[in-house]
Amino acid sequence: NNTINATNAYNLIIYGTFSHFIHTIQNNTANGKPLIYLKSLKNQLLNFSSQQLGSLIVVNSTNLTITNLLLSDDGIVMMSSHLNNIKNSIISTSKNGVGAVSLRYGNNNIFSYNTISSTAGNLYIYLTQNTVFLNNNISGNQPLFYFSNNLQFINNTFSFLYDLYGQGTSLKFINNILNIPGFNVGSSAPYSCDYTIFQNNIFYSLNYGISFDGCSHSLIDSNILQTELVGISIRDNINNTIINNSINA
């Protein structure tokens, strides 16, 4: 039953692992908008009907369909939640240091047909497996960071002012349009970036193009790359396949 007013920081931020996210949080507002905390829900359709929300935190929830969100303060945080679909929503924030989407320790979630924007880190995906981003428009200042495996980004439009960067095995980046300075996939213990697929993307950059650092057994296929500097850079890789690309550097 609290009223929170935070104009340039998180309305509510929770640190830690799964157990640190288990609380009773209800009947709060953030900057005059509902602060929604969902815990241990299963098999539900949640249609927010474009109601403006201050925050959405989803914990330990499974098989939810969340639609028609209108988030303009804190974005969405999901902890240890699986098999959920977030779609047809506007998720944005202009606060310093506040990301639009934060996913932690969850599997098999889908984000589809959303507009996602932030002046901070747009997407933070940590130890989250088999997540799919499909047909989203994702924009902002800061890059996408991921430290997860089997992520799929299909038919999205990306616009960032800084490089997109991440680590994880079996990344699939297919049929996207990217307006970003660079696309960097790296490998450092304990994260690998092997078996990355970068295919049928249109890539515009005023800087570097694609950089694979330590990503073996990967595929760069049928992309259109328009860059000011290097088109494709690979380092410390083995057994990669680079075919059918159009490079203008």
Side-chain angles (χ1 to χ4, degrees):
N1 299 311
N2 298 290
T3 299
I4 304 169
N5 291 290
T7 58
N8 204 28
Y10 278 99
N11 294 307
L12 172 64
I13 186 168
I14 303 172
Y15 292 105
T17 55
F18 172 69
S19 62
H20 303 108
F21 276 72
I22 302 301
H23 305 281
T24 298
I25 301 173
Q26 58 189 23
N27 300 325
N28 300 288
T29 62
N31 296 320
K33 292 167 272 191
L35 191 158
I36 304 297
Y37 173 84
L38 306 176
K39 181 179 67 176
S40 301
L41 299 185
K42 292 183 178 180
N43 307 320
Q44 294 189 31
L45 169 63
L46 303 175
N47 188 342
F48 285 92
S49 302
S50 299
Q51 176 190 14
Q52 282 209 343
L53 304 180
S55 301
L56 177 62
I57 301 171
V58 182
V59 180
N60 192 37
S61 294
T62 303
N63 198 31
L64 305 181
T65 297
I66 300 174
T67 186
N68 292 317
L69 285 170
L70 183 54
L71 282 163
S72 57
D73 280 15
D74 280 9
I76 180 171
V77 175
M78 300 181 71
M79 163 60 81
S80 297
S81 294
H82 315 285
L83 297 167
N84 301 295
N85 189 353
I86 293 84
K87 64 180 184 179
N88 299 325
S89 296
I90 298 174
I91 306 169
S92 67
T93 177
S94 60
K95 294 180 177 180
N96 292 332
V98 178
V101 174
S102 177
L103 308 178
R104 311 177 197 179
Y105 305 101
N107 300 320
N108 300 294
N109 295 299
I110 300 174
F111 281 73
S112 58
Y113 299 95
N114 302 293
T115 298
I116 302 170
S117 63
S118 173
T119 55
N122 286 65
L123 308 178
Y124 178 73
I125 306 171
Y126 183 72
L127 296 181
T128 299
Q129 314 303 319
N130 303 311
T131 293
V132 177
F133 284 82
L134 173 68
N135 291 309
N136 301 286
N137 190 324
I138 305 172
S139 63
N141 288 346
Q142 296 290 337
L144 175 151
F145 291 95
Y146 57 90
F147 300 90
S148 301
N149 297 327
N150 301 306
L151 302 181
Q152 298 183 49
F153 300 91
I154 302 170
N155 294 333
N156 302 285
T157 298
F158 292 89
S159 298
F160 293 136
L161 295 182
Y162 297 95
D163 289 3
L164 183 154
Y165 176 77
Q167 298 172 337
T169 300
S170 300
L171 167 71
K172 294 180 177 63
F173 228 90
I174 300 171
N175 294 330
N176 300 283
I177 298 173
L178 301 99
N179 291 280
I180 58 177
F183 178 89
N184 301 292
V185 183
S187 179
S188 63
Y191 304 104
S192 165
C193 59
D194 293 346
Y195 304 101
T196 292
I197 296 175
F198 193 86
Q199 187 175 50
N200 292 322
N201 301 287
I202 299 175
F203 186 101
Y204 302 98
S205 173
L206 296 177
N207 201 339
Y208 288 92
I210 303 170
S211 175
F212 279 18
D213 187 354
C215 308
S216 298
H217 310 287
S218 295
L219 173 67
I220 302 174
D221 174 29
S222 300
N223 301 286
I224 298 173
L225 308 174
Q226 298 186 15
T227 70
E228 291 294 320
L229 298 175
V230 177
I232 298 174
S233 173
I234 59 174
R235 184 175 68 175
D236 299 328
N237 302 284
I238 60 172
N239 295 322
N240 290 322
T241 300
I242 303 173
I243 56 173
N244 301 320
N245 299 284
S246 175
I247 304 170
N248 295 287

